Amino acid sequence: MTARLRVAAAVAGAIGLVLAAGALCISGRFERDLKLAVARVSQGSTLVSTRCGVIEYQEAGSGIPLLAVHGSGGGHDQGMALAAALTHRGIRVITMSRFGYLRTPMPADASAAAQADAHLCLLDALGIRRHAVMGGSAGAPSALQMAIHQIGSLRWCSWCRSPTSRLHRRIPRRRCRPG
């Protein structure tokens, strides 16, 4: 091996060591920040065992029960941010972390229909029979599935959907009006 190749190998090795040390440092900070974030958003939430498994939820207010289903940007905390203002208007806001978010585990079947069943399991565990539901963004499909299958139990439903969604056409508008 020539002197030039030895120098190039040494420089490449040094660069590799610096990159590996940087990756370890970043990974450690990421893990720490993630633990702090989970601890922060877990404040005020409760884990409940239901027939559908463990579900993390939070509630505030009193009055008509409203299940607010969060989108892809967060868990129960995002649902509460979406609906918390309603607690001052006689609404009992219930939010939960959907499958795989925060402390709600990811099951083998994480379809919108399975998530809708989990919404109902949570409400059953809380002793709620009549309720309203709203879903935003990625939470809308499971909120709609819940509305389709439980139209008689709903007081009101609302969702935010994409203009290309066709699922909303399956809900009888005379019984559940989008808000």
Side-chain angles (χ1 to χ4, degrees):
M1 184 182 274
T2 67
R4 194 174 200 171
L5 284 177
R6 281 193 295 267
V7 169
V11 168
I15 290 172
L17 285 173
V18 168
L19 289 175
L24 282 173
C25 181
I26 290 169
S27 175
R29 286 185 177 192
F30 174 77
E31 291 295 324
R32 183 199 67 201
D33 289 349
L34 187 59
K35 286 178 184 175
L36 289 171
V38 168
R40 180 184 49 79
V41 298
S42 296
Q43 293 177 359
S45 70
T46 303
L47 291 174
V48 64
S49 291
T50 72
R51 63 182 169 79
C52 297
V54 174
I55 299 174
E56 179 181 30
Y57 77 100
Q58 180 180 8
E59 59 183 314
S62 61
I64 299 168
L66 167 68
L67 179 67
V69 185
H70 69 86
S72 62
H76 68 87
D77 58 319
Q78 184 190 58
M80 193 55 73
L82 179 69
L86 298 173
T87 62
H88 305 293
R89 298 186 174 257
I91 304 291
R92 175 184 174 191
V93 175
I94 302 145
T95 65
M96 32 57 69
S97 295
R98 293 186 303 118
F99 294 149
Y101 286 85
L102 301 179
R103 297 187 297 164
T104 299
M106 176 70 80
D109 178 9
S111 65
Q115 184 66 75
D117 289 342
H119 299 337
L120 293 170
C121 286
L122 173 62
L123 294 172
D124 286 346
L126 297 176
I128 297 170
R129 300 291 172 249
R130 301 235 339 131
H131 54 275
V133 63
M134 65 186 260
S137 187
S142 60
L144 286 169
Q145 287 289 333
M146 184 177 158
I148 289 167
H149 296 294
Q150 295 292 312
I151 197 75
S153 300
L154 286 175
R155 293 170 157 274
W156 180 79
C157 66
S158 177
W159 61 90
C160 302
R161 62 172 175 80
S162 73
T164 59
S165 172
R166 293 194 175 125
L167 183 59
H168 71 282
R169 294 184 187 141
R170 295 178 55 192
I171 298 177
R173 293 185 184 274
R174 67 186 180 280
R175 305 224 19 224
C176 182
R177 294 181 306 277

